[in-house]
Amino acid sequence: MSAIPEGFAPLLRTSPYTELLGPIYQNTESTGLIIGLRIENKHCNARGLAHGGVLGTLADIAMGYAAAFSTEPPTMMVTASQTMDYVGKAELGDWVEVHTDVHKVGRSMAFTGCRFYVGARCIATASGVFSVVSA
């Protein structure tokens, strides 16, 4: 496998599920959250392409983390809705980056979006709505 691009380090926040999916990386030099994943065999469908469910999971992680950590202290939230549009593909060995946008974090809901890239090529977009969890 190819090296991890400069500026990326292991994702700071993990869970048993992200450990199973990963390794997932985050860009520590960016002002907004960018996460990255090298597509391995375990991420692929029978055609050797990244499975849509893998990309959907990455969207949920990226948008949720970006929204939660856009506030100080971080806002606890859970996914309420997510929409994905697949416009391209990622193949075995590709480096996929997920660039996030936090549109608004309110008292009860947070609104986010993200774009997936393989190089300069956009392969998917997603939008997410998160429900703020009361402490």
Side-chain angles (χ1 to χ4, degrees):
M1 288 286 164
S2 299
I4 302 307
E6 188 174 326
F8 282 86
L11 188 65
L12 291 177
R13 183 175 175 164
T14 64
S15 70
Y17 185 65
T18 59
E19 292 292 325
L20 180 66
L21 182 66
I24 301 172
Y25 298 88
Q26 71 181 58
N27 187 315
T28 57
E29 298 175 357
S30 175
T31 54
L33 178 64
I34 300 173
I35 65 170
L37 177 76
R38 177 76 60 199
I39 300 301
E40 299 177 19
N41 198 42
K42 68 182 179 179
H43 304 123
C44 292
N45 60 25
R47 292 183 299 277
L49 304 175
H51 192 285
V54 171
L55 300 182
T57 297
L58 289 176
D60 187 51
I61 292 166
M63 293 186 297
Y65 286 10
F69 290 97
S70 71
T71 62
E72 185 57 46
T75 301
M76 290 179 42
M77 56 186 75
V78 295
T79 309
S81 174
Q82 179 175 306
T83 302
M84 290 285 304
D85 292 306
Y86 301 94
V87 297
K89 63 183 178 179
E91 299 176 341
L92 183 64
D94 282 346
W95 174 255
V96 175
E97 289 186 8
V98 185
H99 295 244
T100 60
D101 295 309
V102 177
H103 305 300
K104 179 181 179 179
V105 177
R107 290 190 320 211
S108 62
M109 304 294 281
F111 301 87
T112 63
C114 67
R115 295 160 321 285
F116 289 73
Y117 293 96
V118 173
R121 183 173 42 95
C122 183
I123 63 163
T125 61
S127 61
V129 179
F130 294 83
S131 179
V132 173
V133 177
S134 300

